[in-house]
Amino acid sequence: MTNLKNYWGDPNDRPHKVEGPCLDRTLNATLMGAAAGTFYAACQLAWYPDPVTSPTTGGAVKRFTSTRATGPVSDYKAIARTISRPAFWMSAACATFASVECLAESARGKKDPWNASIGGMAAGLVAAATTKRADIMTSTALGLGLFMFALDFTGESTIHESSQMELRDKMYGILPKVHKESDDLAALKEKYPETKDL
């Protein structure tokens, strides 16, 4: 983290790095994964106009839920099922990443990108477990492990600027007490005196 302070004098919290005991980190990741999965499922439900229905006892899908309905209507059980699956799998993958990264950090005694890579591999296995295919699980684990290594290796800034300090001052710095005008603006104010107080 940086030593920069926000407007109120507190340490700047962007980007937020989750630290602390493994249980706290895992719980935070689980809740964030569940929120992301719920958001994904809600977008998926809203994207497709077809109703989401549950199969009846005979195996056929209910097309009409009442005689007054003008068309097929979604039922609550099917909507809950559609939302809970992505929420469960995303929270499971996030919890796996956080717990395995924390365990790797504890076992190795170091805080470096290799911990994120190990956690990414475990999360890739969980994320691809829905396919039930070992080849996809292996490739997803390797890909996500490599991605998490690169993401952790590059640090908190996702952009590469030649002048990082100047960029940080622009983003988080405090304006000077007295505003200094450019020479061009001063020349324009001399040319048009009615605008000198603007």
Side-chain angles (χ1 to χ4, degrees):
M1 295 301 282
T2 64
N3 293 329
L4 298 171
K5 307 227 181 274
N6 62 14
Y7 180 78
W8 295 277
D10 297 328
N12 190 16
D13 58 352
R14 291 182 287 175
H16 178 67
K17 187 164 181 75
V18 179
E19 294 180 343
C22 288
L23 185 62
D24 291 349
R25 291 160 64 173
T26 304
L27 182 62
N28 185 21
T30 303
L31 293 175
M32 288 295 121
T38 303
F39 177 74
Y40 168 79
C43 291
Q44 187 180 24
L45 280 172
W47 188 262
Y48 297 108
D50 300 333
V52 182
T53 57
S54 298
T56 58
T57 54
V61 175
K62 293 187 288 186
R63 292 291 177 202
F64 298 98
T65 56
S66 73
T67 56
R68 291 183 284 167
T70 58
V73 178
S74 296
D75 62 61
Y76 293 116
K77 192 192 305 186
I79 291 172
R81 186 180 60 245
T82 304
I83 289 175
S84 63
R85 282 182 182 161
F88 170 76
W89 284 109
M90 285 192 181
S91 65
C94 290
T96 302
F97 171 77
S99 59
V100 170
E101 181 192 30
C102 189
L103 289 173
E105 183 181 313
S106 298
R108 296 179 67 238
K110 296 180 187 175
K111 254 185 142 166
D112 59 5
W114 290 108
N115 299 331
S117 178
I118 295 167
M121 286 183 200
L125 284 172
V126 172
T130 58
T131 64
K132 298 177 184 156
R133 289 184 49 188
D135 56 340
I136 293 177
M137 290 171 66
T138 304
S139 60
T140 305
L142 292 175
L144 196 55
L146 183 63
F147 176 73
M148 294 309 295
F149 177 85
L151 195 65
D152 199 22
F153 184 75
T154 57
E156 63 187 33
S157 179
T158 56
I159 58 170
H160 178 65
E161 288 284 330
S162 58
S163 55
Q164 280 287 338
M165 290 309 291
E166 182 181 339
L167 178 68
R168 287 179 191 229
D169 286 341
K170 283 182 183 178
M171 290 174 66
Y172 310 118
I174 298 172
L175 292 174
K177 300 283 184 197
V178 179
H179 178 69
K180 183 182 176 205
E181 295 180 345
S182 66
D183 296 333
D184 294 336
L185 183 60
L188 282 172
K189 284 189 176 184
E190 285 179 19
K191 186 174 181 181
Y192 302 102
E194 66 272 5
T195 62
K196 70 176 183 169
D197 294 327
L198 294 178

